[in-house]
Amino acid sequence: MAYVDGFLVPVPAENKKAYVDLCAHAAKKFREWGALDYVECWGDDVPDGKVTSFPMAVKREENEVVVFSWVIWPDKAARDAAWQKMIDDPEMGEMKMPFDGKRMIFGGFVPVFELDA
């Protein structure tokens, strides 16, 4: 069964091009390492909440946009192997992140329902 990595990250609005460029580079690596799909979504209608919300979760600052993304792997083993390759790849370590990585939220998920499954 597929395995999904999900991410939320606050990105300064003025860094959108740099972020998309970073995504294009990461996409090549993810595909090389076995990813089935990779999607990055630039926040468009992401309201502030009273108790919780995407903006609150990443401590979004005034000039930032919340980005929601995911990578689909064939299974958890493929994902784990890809993460190890990412850690071991010196090129990945040298990439300049156009956002505050300390406020990125991420996790791995096992699908329990798919519309077309």
Side-chain angles (χ1 to χ4, degrees), residues 103-117:
R103 292 184 288 135
M104 178 170 57
I105 298 170
F106 59 92
F109 300 85
V110 175
V112 294
F113 178 85
E114 291 183 49
L115 181 65
D116 294 325

Side-chain angles (χ1 to χ4, degrees), residues 29-46:
K29 294 284 189 175
F30 292 162
R31 178 69 76 194
E32 176 185 324
W33 296 332
L36 302 174
D37 198 7
Y38 169 47
V39 178
E40 292 278 352
C41 303
W42 192 258
D44 176 60
D45 184 11
V46 186

